[in-house]
Amino acid sequence: HLPKVILFLGSNIGNLTDEMSADFIYKIGSHLKPGDKLILGIDLIKSEELVIPAYDDPKGITRDFNLNLLTRMNNELGGGFDLSTFEHTAEYTAEEGVARSFLVSRVAQEIPIESIGKSFTFEKGERMQTEISRKYNDEILNNILKKTDFKIIKKLTDSRGYFADYILNRF
């Protein structure tokens, strides 16, 4: 048979934990035959100097994106978030390869959510994780693939080595 080729680009898999990624890739493989291919786009591990500004940018784009989660909870769930009482922060280390965004409560507060009839308490300085973005290298991807029916057959990168498209073969 002619091999099928599945494209999963844009590094979306980086928003999943490694366990969830392995399960997702395994499920893709369950619909493919040996010799079929998966082209997987991922974000490669880079230095903190390159990654942190993408998640804690001077224009506040990521801050506004994350604060919008609170706005949506207010609008769609009857939340009582005062956005001015939260600040955005990001963290990343190249050793771990995971960027995380948080909203940090500036004050002790209790937030009602009308749609579920509950309130949530935040201490001053308490962090709420709003985003995760996994960065990869060959070792991390190979560890994920151990739980799937795929192996790497080729890696294509941009000229700076920031991103990669891995061609995986279903065995």
Side-chain angles (χ1 to χ4, degrees):
H1 85 281
L2 292 175
K4 289 182 186 174
V5 178
I6 304 292
L7 295 172
F8 192 75
L9 303 176
S11 190
N12 294 336
I13 201 160
N15 299 123
L16 305 176
T17 65
D18 290 355
E19 195 65 38
M20 292 167 68
S21 295
D23 186 53
F24 177 74
I25 293 170
Y26 179 82
K27 285 178 181 172
I28 290 173
S30 72
H31 298 284
L32 300 176
K33 295 179 180 171
D36 288 344
K37 311 285 187 267
L38 170 61
I39 301 175
L40 180 65
I42 61 173
D43 197 359
L44 297 174
I45 289 178
K46 297 176 259 321
S47 71
E48 291 175 44
E49 293 77 26
L50 288 171
V51 174
I52 286 291
Y55 295 90
D56 196 9
D57 58 286
K59 291 184 179 180
I61 294 168
T62 304
R63 178 201 65 222
D64 293 348
F65 174 82
N66 283 286
L67 285 170
N68 187 54
L69 296 169
L70 304 183
T71 300
R72 291 197 60 199
M73 284 191 272
N74 286 347
N75 295 340
E76 298 171 29
L77 302 174
F81 288 96
D82 175 352
L83 277 58
S84 71
T85 64
F86 286 88
E87 63 186 355
H88 171 265
T89 187
E91 61 184 40
Y92 171 81
T93 62
E95 293 79 28
E96 184 187 20
V98 178
R100 292 178 180 86
S101 292
F102 299 90
L103 292 176
V104 182
S105 182
R106 295 177 184 201
V107 297
Q109 58 185 314
E110 186 173 342
I111 310 293
I113 307 291
E114 290 177 18
S115 66
I116 59 173
K118 292 185 178 183
S119 290
F120 297 89
T121 303
F122 291 88
E123 299 299 322
K124 181 179 181 178
E126 187 171 349
R127 301 183 327 161
M128 177 179 10
Q129 186 172 327
T130 54
E131 186 177 15
I132 184 170
S133 183
R134 169 57 124 162
K135 314 303 177 195
Y136 298 87
N137 59 24
D138 292 354
E139 179 184 354
I140 293 167
L141 184 57
N142 276 315
N143 282 333
I144 290 169
L145 293 178
K146 286 179 185 176
K147 301 174 185 172
T148 75
D149 296 327
F150 286 97
K151 66 178 180 179
I152 298 169
I153 59 171
K154 186 137 179 103
K155 174 182 174 182
L156 308 167
T157 64
D158 64 291
S159 62
R160 297 177 293 186
Y162 289 173
F163 306 96
D165 291 326
Y166 282 85
I167 301 173
L168 310 178
N169 191 58
R170 167 74 164 76
F171 57 87

